Amino acid sequence: RSPAAIAAIWGILKTGAAYLPIDAGYPDARITQILTDAQAPACLLEPPAHHRDCLPPGCHGITLDISGTPAPGQWHDADGQPDDLAYVIYTSGSTGTPKGVQIEHRGLVNYVRWVTREAGLTTATRMPLVASISFDMAGCALFAPLLAGGAVLPVGEVNAVTLREVIEDRGATAMAITPSHLDLINQAGIRHSTLRTVIAGGELLRRSTALRAREVLGARCRILCQWGPTEATILNTCHEFDPERDTDPGVP
């Protein structure tokens, strides 16, 4: 979740290629398995991961270092088409064997337009990147705020301290997180918050968690419970939590 990784993902798309995000926390064997299955010709490695021995034959390692790199002299974005591949994300699969889900540009564009509208993202939006880049929900923070003219705030190590800091000191206005992260925020001792929208997805959002979040973040902060399978491009259902109407243990 570094600035270099964000720049690299955008750069890959601008060349017309597709990206395959791999969390550096994965064991070497899993990384090798994914790169082999995807037949990836190259792998961008950010220090200190560039010292790891996890690249299969035929996959070229490129150290990702954007410091002091001159801008290209003649650069033109590739002419993308709706059915071009945007990214591949490996899920556990129903059998437990990782499988690569291929997402085209048309799906990503449609999702970004939808979530921008549903979450009310604008040029003033400041959205932390909290999810692992290998989790498709990270796509919300990678693309939606920037395409709305706002900012993305990369969070390195995710814990109660860093989440409190990004909310209190870095002016976060919107977040796309799991309910587990929201539980962590509820326990972080937040004193003041600029958050106006929280998108919770990927897990069951409990009513008790949502109620506590309204106390911590303020009643003006909308809590959106969203869900969708990786194959349908990140998320595709949305329900705004209403404490008066939503009385079941789990938020719809």
Side-chain angles (χ1 to χ4, degrees), residues 16 79-87 103-106:
D79 293 326
Q81 299 298 320
D83 57 356
D84 286 347
L85 196 61
Y87 64 80
I103 299 298
E104 299 174 343
H105 278 267
R106 70 170 77 245

Side-chain angles (χ1 to χ4, degrees), residues 34 72 100 114 175 189 221 230:
I34 290 174
W114 173 77
M175 297 184 85
C221 181
T230 303

Side-chain angles (χ1 to χ4, degrees), residues 109-227:
V109 169
N110 187 53
Y111 164 74
V112 168
R113 288 176 172 171
W114 173 77
V115 78
T116 300
R117 181 180 68 246
E118 292 290 335
L121 306 182
T122 69
T123 56
T125 295
R126 296 173 63 82
M127 180 179 286
L129 174 56
V130 176
S132 162
I133 64 167
S134 65
F135 179 31
D136 64 345
M137 195 174 181
C140 182
L142 285 168
F143 302 113
L146 295 177
L147 288 169
V152 56
L153 311 174
V155 178
E157 183 179 353
V158 178
N159 54 47
V161 174
T162 56
L163 289 174
R164 183 175 68 240
E165 187 264 341
V166 80
I167 292 172
E168 290 189 340
D169 302 331
R170 297 173 67 186
T173 62
M175 297 184 85
I177 54 178
T178 65
S180 294
H181 288 134
L182 189 55
D183 275 329
L184 204 55
I185 290 171
N186 288 344
Q187 302 166 22
I190 304 294
R191 293 163 296 184
H192 59 85
S193 169
T194 53
L195 279 174
R196 292 295 174 262
T197 305
V198 170
I199 298 169
E203 305 164 355
L204 171 67
L205 174 60
R206 299 188 180 279
R207 183 174 187 267
S208 57
T209 298
L211 286 174
R212 176 59 180 156
R214 281 175 60 87
E215 295 176 6
V216 171
L217 304 175
R220 289 191 299 171
C221 181
R222 302 168 63 214
I223 299 175
L224 306 179
C225 185
Q226 297 190 354
W227 181 88

Side-chain angles (χ1 to χ4, degrees), residues 2 9 76 80 171 209:
S2 67
I9 287 172
H76 300 285
T209 298

Side-chain angles (χ1 to χ4, degrees), residues 24 28 45-54 63-64:
D28 285 0
L45 301 162
E46 191 169 9
H50 63 300
H51 291 309
R52 293 172 62 175
D53 184 20
C54 57
T63 299
L64 182 59

